[in-house]
Amino acid sequence: PHFGPFLADLAEVALCDGGDLPVRAGWSRRFPREIRAAGLARVLAASFGRTRTAILVDVPEGLSPGEEELFVAGCEWLAYAGGFGVWLTGAPLRTVDRVESVPVLLPYPESWSGTGTGARRPDAAAGASGEPAITFPTVSGKPHPASRAEQALEAALADCDWATGRAWNQTYQSNPLTPPIRVDLLWRAERCVVEIDGDDHRRPLKFRADRQRDVRLQLDGYAVLRFTDDQVLDDTHAVVRQIQRFILKRRFGTLEG
């Protein structure tokens, strides 16, 4: 799905010193901006296992009407020419009124906004149901950026030699006919899944869905270790010790095959 000459030149630039301006200038002249924008959008999305790429842009304070128009036009160009999803945050837009707005509830006090194809400009306001109007997905291979528990656990595991082979936020599918399962933390070789549950996992529908997921994983030979956010944040070392005990037992206590 990628343009071969663009990938080759991108690799050449990546292998050169970041301060080699002549190389970068030559690369920028080799392809028009539209080709570079669309190519980078596809490469970034593919590298994270996604189909699209989104950009979060901070709106600076004190833009004049002309500067604000130019700023939004640049974001729209990225959306239409490169296929990026572009979201704006920071200072509100005072004069440009073609960016759609929608109220959202966020886990932070900051407000987010967006422009471009199918984008939204939300303000930090709660919806009528009290539920978030928008969410952002996890990135394969990394802890969720909005989860303090996942971030804390990864920081603790990063110093553990035995924790090698872990993969955050992976999709597991036992066969092509079954729906995929998104797991928080996975040791594939040891067939161990670690789930970190927030308060929403106590609700009946979520609780039942979690049990069904656990059964499907167990039927394929996976063990599922579940911890709450509070457990991870209040006593991270205890959670790490429990995971370590299981991983080492699976790694060294099972015959090959």
Side-chain angles (χ1 to χ4, degrees):
H2 301 289
F3 181 41
F6 171 80
L7 283 183
D9 283 353
L10 186 62
E12 180 182 345
V13 173
L15 292 172
C16 293
D17 183 8
D20 195 341
L21 294 179
V23 172
R24 289 183 176 272
W27 179 75
S28 66
R29 291 193 301 267
R30 198 169 304 172
F31 296 102
R33 291 184 177 89
E34 292 80 4
I35 296 295
R36 300 205 306 274
L40 287 172
R42 287 194 293 267
V43 169
L44 287 170
S47 66
F48 286 105
R50 302 289 178 179
T51 57
R52 298 287 300 276
T53 297
I55 303 177
L56 181 66
V57 185
D58 189 62
V59 181
E61 295 279 358
L63 291 180
S64 67
E67 291 170 337
E68 189 174 288
E69 176 66 35
L70 184 62
F71 183 90
V72 173
C75 293
E76 290 174 331
W77 184 90
L78 286 170
Y80 291 110
F84 290 95
V86 183
W87 291 81
L88 304 182
T89 186
L93 299 176
R94 303 295 184 186
T95 57
V96 177
D97 59 0
R98 62 180 181 273
V99 180
E100 187 178 355
S101 302
V102 61
V104 297
L105 174 64
L106 297 173
Y108 322 106
E110 294 89 1
S111 63
W112 294 44
S113 56
T115 183
T117 53
R120 298 290 185 269
R121 179 181 176 84
D123 299 318
S129 64
E131 295 293 331
I134 61 169
T135 60
F136 50 95
T138 57
V139 175
S140 298
K142 295 184 179 182
H144 197 295
S147 173
R148 291 175 53 232
E150 289 190 17
Q151 298 283 346
L153 182 56
E154 171 57 24
L157 293 173
D159 296 328
C160 300
D161 294 337
W162 59 266
T164 56
R166 70 188 180 281
W168 283 96
N169 293 302
Q170 300 294 303
T171 299
Y172 172 78
Q173 191 171 20
S174 56
N175 64 73
L177 298 180
T178 60
I181 298 175
R182 188 78 171 184
V183 299
D184 292 338
L185 182 56
L186 172 68
W187 275 267
R188 198 176 297 274
E190 290 79 12
R191 289 188 172 269
C192 176
V193 169
V194 175
E195 295 285 352
I196 303 174
D197 297 338
D199 293 338
D200 58 319
H201 287 262
R202 300 173 185 172
R203 298 172 184 171
L205 292 179
K206 192 83 169 182
F207 184 86
R208 183 170 61 188
D210 286 343
R211 303 290 82 73
Q212 293 173 344
R213 284 161 44 98
D214 291 352
V215 169
R216 286 179 53 193
L217 288 164
Q218 290 163 1
L219 289 174
D220 288 341
Y222 282 85
V224 182
L225 308 181
R226 286 191 175 272
F227 303 95
T228 65
D229 284 347
D230 292 339
Q231 285 179 294
V232 175
L233 295 173
D234 294 343
D235 197 348
T236 308
H237 294 296
V239 173
V240 169
R241 286 195 299 270
Q242 293 181 53
I243 298 174
Q244 177 186 15
R245 183 179 178 185
F246 183 85
I247 292 295
L248 294 181
K249 185 177 180 181
R250 275 283 175 103
R251 189 172 291 167
F252 301 115
T254 306
L255 294 176
E256 183 178 356

